[in-house]
Amino acid sequence: MVRWFSPEFSSFMKKLPMIPESIAKNATPMLATLRKRGVIRDLTFDDVINELGRTPLSEEEMIECLKWRIGLDTAEVQAHNEKLRRQFLQVAVLIMREGGKDKTIPLSTIRTFLSTSNPIPPNCPLPQHTLPCSVSEHFKADSLRQFFAWTDLTLPEWVEYLLSPTSTLPPDARLTESTVFAERVLGIIARPWGNLPKRQINKIVELLGNQPVIPTRSGLCKPQEAYFLNANIFPDLPIIEMPKGTPVEGNLEKLLITLGVRKHVDLQVVFNRMINTGDWGVHDLMKYLVAVRGSLSDAEIERLQHSAAFPQEGEGEGCVQRREPSELYEPTETMRELGLPLLDWGKEPKWRSNSDEAKLLFELGLRKFPPITKILALASGDNVAVRRKALSYFLENFGTRYATVKADGTAFLSKPGEAFIEPQCAVMGFSLIEPSLRMDAQAKLRLPRDPPASQVEAILLKNPPREPIKGREYFEYLTNRIADFTSDQFQLLQRRAIIPARSPDLKDSDEWSMCKPGECFFKNERTTPDMHAKLFTFVDYGYRANNFLRACGVRNEPGVQEVAGMMVKDPERFFELAGGTDGYRDQLRQVAMHQSLPSSLLSTMKQTPFLLANQKVRKSSKDPSTTTTGDDLEEGEYEDVHYLLKPSQDDATALSLFRDVIFGAPEDGILEAFYHKLGVRQLSSLISDEWQPLQVEIVETPSARKTRHLVIERFPLFVDERISRSRVKADWLGVGNHFVVRSCGKLIHSRTLDFGGRRITRVQNVSASSEVTRSFGSIKQLTLHISKVETLDLF
């Protein structure tokens, strides 16, 4: 059948018979008559679907077709959007010229597209499920999302495609084979690295972390096998080297660090080279360690402290004795005269106790002087020269090195019970017994290792740490003392502000506020929602310190009760932080699912405007007081506006009639039950109905007779599924005048809303209504009125 010309279809419906444009513009009465009789029809959506199923579209035709589909933004299309989308995508096929051949792309295989803000360049290899950029560049991203449910291609999806073993990419576009392409991909990923969501960062690290994608002097290496330029201490190390000279800085450097590229050479590799080759001495080792000190972890420092890799002075050539730093002394003339084992520093450069290398060695455990037990042993030994030197050294340093040590490191003499053995307690201001005396102090004098828990608690309450570094030191020490505290002490600490933290109001400030353990939570970047981070106070002092804070009452995350409390405390701010209506509805639903909210919180909820509600409002005004009370709510003139209201709808049809004068609850079973629990009334309880048939015909008309016959004929099928609830039997309905059908000129259904001191009536023309006549409680007659002016739906 020939279709009437339509300009929006002519650009892509080229094979469907259609009246030419020139004839359609100068239509004759004969064409108008043919169109009126249906010989010539207008193009329909089904025509488009049928034609697309038969004919693939070129690139230009597909662009015009997608524009037409996006232009169908009507209320009817929106109501069936999902079904129409599925029909359209299942039949539409794009044909593109690629490599001298036609490439067929069914739109049903498309899931993603490249928006103009996407960091991935359009000239890069793209997955098969990505819409060609030559097509997507003609549309706004929002339109592609709304009408076709396509999403913007993410970096993790792109990287996963590039690494897929099934992808047929040319050699120069293979991420694990081409250094030039790897450099380009890393640069693309690095560009938005600082702004990527945590979930995408984790996925990219998971995909690239064990793949040879880092360009180095030795070719492509896995991240953990590659090194930054500052680790260039051996000529054969795989140092990062970008083929096109891209500088490794900024976001690219951060990306490589996150992937696991090393800033320094593994200590075991350094030790092996130093011992096996002899090319490095202690000075070379310490110079390198000073250079990379900032990147050494606590575990690596501890490993250095216990590594027997440091040579002892005085051993013969070829039999170097290597010891841990704590077993050696600094190579000074005084220590040498005492006959102590010294570090073999070498002749050049000269040893300096104040150099950076020496300071790091002291940090690793190199001794500056012998402990008291050692110096006394030397002073009472058989070697006369050493004995005299040791006694002299002891007397000269008695007031400085062989006494009790204050928390600040200065020496003094104290009474037993005023100084303690455990070094960590010094962070809270307690005095320490001099290190060389600690073993004798505990074994012989039986001095306490730690201060009593009561003293520790008193200092914590009186002088809590005011900044995070001091806080970590406090809480790490207190973790070792958890068993010494009573439950009453922990309950007291839970109610006192002892934790330095950044409250949500001070996120952008350098100030620290003091927080109570019962009012803050542990930070977890992977699971803590951004909204919670803006509402609650989160802390993280490391695994060890957090154990003490957990004992004091710090919890992993806020519960539903806390979230509900914040929601009721400031609904408008909560609504804003939740990202608007959808986010707020999700949070409200979580609260609604919680069955055991305290009665005090429920009472507060009933008095607080925090419930999400919506109302039809004219687009020219967002003020609910300006809403119309007319009978017809034109969709083009009204829009849904959401409010937060106090607790104060179950009939969908009634809601559609009165939604410009009432506030409706979200259509969600869980939320509706929650609203009802808080006292929200059902809409049906506020509305009264009245049906009014006009111009009723007394004599049964042919249409009424036909309708009666159809109802009686189909009634047994209808009753079959509802037999337990039906009060009317099929055989009773067809007897005599038990069931009567009357035609009427017009049938009016009036609904009256009586609420809030207002009485509003809305009228609708309907196609049918029923009336029951009873006698002594039993049904005597059923009367069905049908309208002549409304189409009767016999479904």
Side-chain angles (χ1 to χ4, degrees):
M1 182 181 291
V2 178
R3 306 300 193 275
W4 189 257
F5 174 78
S6 182
E8 62 267 27
F9 296 107
S10 60
S11 58
F12 63 92
M13 299 284 288
K14 296 181 178 180
K15 294 187 178 182
L16 191 70
M18 189 183 302
I19 295 294
E21 181 180 5
S22 58
I23 296 177
K25 286 184 177 179
N26 303 296
T28 63
M30 181 186 71
L31 288 176
T33 302
L34 292 175
R35 189 178 183 187
K36 184 176 181 181
R37 292 181 179 179
V39 177
I40 301 175
R41 291 198 299 112
D42 290 335
L43 275 164
T44 65
F45 186 84
D46 289 338
D47 291 333
V48 176
I49 295 299
N50 293 334
E51 184 65 17
L52 291 178
R54 292 190 295 264
T55 307
L57 302 183
S58 66
E59 184 178 324
E60 294 77 12
E61 292 171 341
M62 182 58 74
I63 292 171
E64 295 301 321
C65 181
L66 294 179
K67 288 180 179 179
W68 164 78
R69 174 62 188 89
I70 292 173
L72 293 179
D73 191 14
T74 63
E76 182 179 357
V77 171
Q78 291 175 358
H80 302 84
N81 192 43
E82 182 61 33
K83 178 181 178 182
L84 298 180
R85 175 194 300 146
R86 194 163 50 248
Q87 284 183 321
F88 180 80
L89 295 179
Q90 284 176 349
V91 298
V93 177
L94 170 66
I95 287 187
M96 296 188 67
R97 198 71 177 168
E98 187 175 285
K101 298 180 180 180
D102 287 337
K103 179 181 179 181
T104 302
I105 306 175
L107 291 196
S108 59
T109 64
I110 300 298
R111 302 198 316 269
T112 58
F113 63 91
L114 281 187
S115 67
T116 54
S117 61
N118 197 303
I120 304 172
N123 60 346
C124 283
L126 298 175
Q128 297 296 323
H129 57 72
T130 300
L131 187 68
C133 296
S134 57
V135 176
S136 61
E137 66 184 6
H138 293 275
F139 303 95
K140 293 181 178 180
D142 289 341
S143 297
L144 297 178
R145 294 190 191 98
Q146 176 183 354
F147 292 96
F148 308 109
W150 296 332
T151 59
D152 207 355
L153 181 66
T154 64
L155 284 172
E157 291 176 318
W158 183 56
V159 172
E160 192 168 15
Y161 162 70
L162 296 178
L163 294 173
S164 173
T166 60
S167 60
T168 57
L169 296 173
D172 61 350
R174 293 176 185 171
L175 184 55
T176 57
E177 297 180 19
S178 170
T179 55
V180 174
F181 187 65
E183 176 184 10
R184 186 185 183 194
V185 171
L186 291 173
I188 293 170
I189 298 173
R191 208 167 298 137
W193 187 252
N195 299 318
L196 285 180
K198 190 70 175 178
R199 179 173 50 81
Q200 290 195 25
I201 290 177
N202 293 338
K203 184 61 177 179
I204 291 173
V205 172
E206 177 187 337
L207 291 169
L208 298 180
N210 200 34
Q211 296 289 338
V213 295
I214 308 299
T216 71
R217 296 172 182 173
S218 305
L220 288 169
C221 292
K222 296 179 180 180
Q224 63 272 20
E225 297 172 354
Y227 295 88
F228 284 100
L229 184 60
N230 62 351
N232 188 18
I233 59 174
F234 302 122
D236 57 344
L237 283 178
I239 301 297
I240 291 179
E241 187 174 80
M242 297 297 177
K244 294 190 175 181
T246 302
V248 182
E249 59 188 17
N251 277 357
L252 179 56
E253 182 180 12
K254 294 177 182 177
L255 166 63
L256 296 175
I257 291 173
T258 307
L259 290 177
V261 176
R262 297 174 180 269
K263 282 192 169 184
H264 63 269
V265 182
D266 186 74
L267 295 177
Q268 191 59 52
V269 175
V270 175
F271 292 154
N272 292 341
R273 296 287 184 101
M274 184 174 70
I275 295 172
N276 296 334
T277 65
D279 296 337
W280 269 31
V282 173
H283 174 262
D284 300 310
L285 170 65
M286 297 312 300
K287 185 177 180 180
Y288 170 69
L289 292 178
V290 167
V292 298
R293 176 66 180 88
S295 61
L296 293 176
S297 65
D298 293 342
E300 288 175 316
I301 292 294
E302 184 176 359
R303 184 179 177 187
L304 283 169
Q305 292 171 338
H306 299 287
S307 294
F310 299 85
Q312 179 179 335
E313 183 182 289
E315 301 295 332
E317 188 174 348
C319 56
V320 177
Q321 183 74 25
R322 297 185 182 273
R323 299 180 181 274
E324 296 181 11
S326 60
E327 297 175 337
L328 299 173
Y329 292 83
E330 66 170 322
T332 62
E333 191 60 32
T334 300
M335 297 297 106
R336 190 173 288 112
E337 290 175 352
L338 291 173
L340 297 171
L342 304 183
L343 173 70
D344 187 359
W345 182 252
K347 294 182 180 181
E348 293 294 336
K350 188 177 180 180
W351 169 263
R352 292 185 299 111
S353 297
N354 61 347
S355 67
D356 291 336
E357 291 82 0
K359 291 176 183 178
L360 181 54
L361 275 167
F362 292 140
E363 182 182 346
L364 297 179
L366 182 69
R367 293 180 179 271
K368 286 187 174 183
F369 58 90
I372 190 169
T373 53
K374 183 66 176 178
I375 197 68
L376 292 178
L378 293 174
S380 60
D382 296 332
N383 189 317
V384 177
V386 172
R387 185 170 64 206
R388 289 176 179 175
K389 190 66 179 178
L391 181 58
S392 175
Y393 184 85
F394 173 73
L395 294 175
E396 289 175 1
N397 295 278
F398 178 77
T400 56
R401 293 180 171 174
Y402 302 111
T404 306
V405 181
K406 290 184 179 179
D408 61 3
T410 59
F412 74 107
L413 297 177
S414 71
K415 299 177 182 179
E418 294 180 355
F420 306 95
I421 297 171
E422 175 54 53
Q424 276 193 299
C425 72
V427 301
M428 299 189 71
F430 292 101
S431 301
L432 301 179
I433 296 172
E434 197 279 327
S436 62
L437 298 176
R438 287 172 189 167
M439 291 186 63
D440 288 338
Q442 187 171 19
K444 298 178 181 179
L445 300 179
R446 298 185 179 179
L447 296 180
R449 182 172 187 83
D450 290 284
S454 57
Q455 292 185 25
V456 174
E457 179 192 31
I459 289 181
L460 181 59
L461 294 175
K462 183 180 179 180
N463 187 29
R466 299 290 176 178
E467 46 85 22
I469 296 178
K470 183 64 69 174
R472 178 186 285 264
E473 294 175 348
Y474 266 53
F475 303 139
E476 284 184 349
Y477 167 65
L478 291 170
T479 293
N480 301 330
R481 304 294 308 280
I482 289 178
D484 299 332
F485 285 83
T486 66
S487 59
D488 290 340
Q489 287 175 316
F490 279 126
Q491 290 179 9
L492 175 61
L493 292 174
Q494 184 177 9
R495 301 190 299 270
R496 301 292 291 272
I498 61 172
I499 306 175
R502 285 261 170 82
S503 65
D505 298 332
L506 299 175
K507 287 293 184 184
D508 300 326
S509 171
D510 293 333
E511 299 180 14
W512 293 86
S513 59
M514 300 305 294
C515 179
K516 300 176 183 178
E519 296 177 355
C520 59
F521 308 90
F522 289 121
K523 184 187 300 181
N524 189 322
E525 299 291 347
R526 292 177 299 176
T527 61
T528 301
D530 292 340
M531 184 187 70
H532 286 183
K534 297 175 183 177
L535 290 171
F536 301 96
T537 300
F538 289 86
V539 297
D540 183 8
Y541 282 93
Y543 177 77
R544 282 190 60 201
N546 285 349
N547 286 331
F548 176 74
L549 297 181
R550 183 174 286 105
C552 291
V554 179
R555 289 169 290 166
N556 288 331
E557 60 183 13
V560 174
Q561 184 173 332
E562 285 78 14
V563 173
M566 283 291 183
M567 183 179 288
V568 174
K569 180 180 179 181
D570 192 348
E572 295 292 343
R573 181 167 181 264
F574 196 100
F575 183 88
E576 179 182 351
L577 294 177
T581 303
D582 293 340
Y584 191 88
R585 183 190 295 112
D586 292 340
Q587 293 294 321
L588 189 61
R589 197 172 191 274
Q590 294 294 325
V591 174
M593 294 172 64
H594 197 67
Q595 300 297 322
S596 56
L597 294 175
S599 57
S600 58
L601 180 57
L602 288 173
S603 178
T604 303
M605 287 179 170
K606 293 179 180 179
Q607 305 299 322
T608 304
F610 83 103
L611 290 183
L612 188 65
N614 58 68
Q615 185 184 52
K616 273 292 190 192
V617 176
R618 282 190 182 275
K619 290 184 177 180
S620 60
S621 173
K622 297 293 179 69
D623 184 355
S625 63
T626 64
T627 56
T628 181
T629 58
D631 291 345
D632 297 321
L633 299 181
E634 295 291 341
E635 290 295 331
E637 298 180 8
Y638 290 81
E639 61 180 335
D640 284 329
V641 178
H642 295 85
Y643 303 91
L644 299 179
L645 303 174
K646 290 184 181 180
S648 25
Q649 67 212 27
D650 56 333
D651 186 334
T653 304
L655 176 61
S656 66
L657 288 175
F658 295 102
R659 64 187 307 177
D660 63 324
V661 294
I662 64 167
F663 296 96
E667 296 181 12
D668 184 293
I670 293 176
L671 287 179
E672 289 175 359
F674 181 59
Y675 280 37
H676 184 66
K677 181 178 180 180
L678 295 177
V680 177
R681 299 172 62 183
Q682 298 283 357
L683 178 59
S684 59
S685 66
L686 307 175
I687 294 177
S688 58
D689 296 275
E690 180 182 355
W691 285 267
Q692 184 179 2
L694 303 177
Q695 303 172 5
V696 180
E697 296 183 355
I698 301 175
V699 180
E700 187 178 53
T701 63
S703 63
R705 186 180 305 109
K706 180 180 178 181
T707 301
R708 181 178 185 276
H709 175 73
L710 286 174
V711 171
I712 293 174
E713 182 183 69
R714 299 177 181 179
F715 188 71
L717 298 175
F718 175 80
V719 173
D720 184 56
E721 297 178 354
R722 302 166 176 80
I723 190 67
S724 60
R725 292 181 289 149
S726 176
R727 300 181 61 184
V728 177
K729 306 301 180 183
D731 53 356
W732 178 89
L733 197 68
V735 176
N737 290 328
H738 287 174
F739 175 53
V740 178
V741 180
R742 292 284 184 262
S743 295
C744 57
K746 192 175 185 181
L747 188 57
I748 298 175
H749 181 198
S750 301
R751 286 184 172 90
T752 301
L753 172 68
D754 192 353
F755 180 65
R758 303 175 66 184
R759 186 177 178 85
I760 302 172
T761 299
R762 295 285 161 85
V763 176
Q764 280 184 306
N765 291 329
V766 296
S767 61
S769 69
S770 63
E771 180 181 350
V772 180
T773 304
R774 299 179 182 275
S775 177
F776 300 104
S778 300
I779 297 177
K780 182 179 180 182
Q781 187 180 67
L782 292 176
T783 302
L784 176 65
H785 291 101
I786 58 175
S787 172
K788 291 182 178 181
V789 298
E790 298 291 334
T791 303
L792 186 63
D793 185 359
L794 294 176
F795 179 79

